[in-house]
Amino acid sequence: MVDVIVGDDGVSRCTWAAVEPETTYHDTEWGFPLTGDTALFERVCLEGFQSGLSWRTILTKRENFRAAFAGFDVEKVARFTERDVERLLGDAGIIRHRGKIEASINNARRASELIDAEGSLESFFWRYAPAAEHIPGSMTLSEDSTRLSKDLKKRGWKFVGPTTMFALMQASGMVNDHAYDCVTRPTVAAAIEDYLALQ
């Protein structure tokens, strides 16, 4: 079970959120329902770039990523060319990994296709949200994240393995993985409940 840590402000949070920039991200973003195609596409890309690295690395470079990837606008990134790949490989403000850069461009093209077929990334991704809760911190992947990963791979997406997709689910509110004693857990639970009630 995930423990909590009490910060200098006297607030109990998930242990990984003890210091900035993780604290603000934890309190205001992680686990809250993520909606909209741009936001979901950005998160898929950043989770892919995070693979093998710390999330702190991604957080500190997030604004650079947004500038480099045209605000993660699906249609704009889908039109990136080899010239853009070379530009990105020369950008010290992001993670310069050719495979991850090319995967993000490929995934923009696949995302455009998926939006045409399904109506939105939001409606597609959220259908994989699990129906039942689990013990926070008890897993790094799930049957649902494995099914999502397989479906995306069939559609030609890359860097979308089951563990990466579970991290996406945690971050985007499909799974509430805040520790039981974390101050943010009930707020996230209420936000998810409100989101689902509107669907």
Side-chain angles (χ1 to χ4, degrees), residues 29-68:
E29 291 186 62
W30 195 71
F32 287 90
L34 191 65
T35 62
D37 292 343
T38 300
L40 279 164
F41 176 64
E42 174 183 352
R43 193 57 57 88
V44 171
C45 291
L46 294 182
E47 293 292 353
F49 272 102
Q50 187 271 334
S51 180
L53 302 170
S54 73
W55 187 245
R56 167 178 283 266
T57 301
I58 301 301
L59 284 177
T60 58
K61 294 177 178 287
R62 183 157 60 161
E63 291 307 316
N64 296 333
F65 272 109
R66 287 172 172 167

Side-chain angles (χ1 to χ4, degrees), residues 12-13 31 38 41 44 47 74 79 85 107 161 173-174 177 186 194:
S12 296
R13 296 181 176 88
T38 300
F41 176 64
V44 171
E47 293 292 353
V74 171
R79 292 194 295 270
V85 173
N107 290 349
M174 297 173 204
D177 233 15
D194 289 345

Side-chain angles (χ1 to χ4, degrees), residues 2-5 12-18 26 30 177-179 182-183:
V2 177
D3 294 326
V4 295
I5 188 167
S12 296
R13 296 181 176 88
C14 299
T15 53
W16 59 266
H26 168 276
W30 195 71
D177 233 15
H178 284 275
C182 173
V183 69

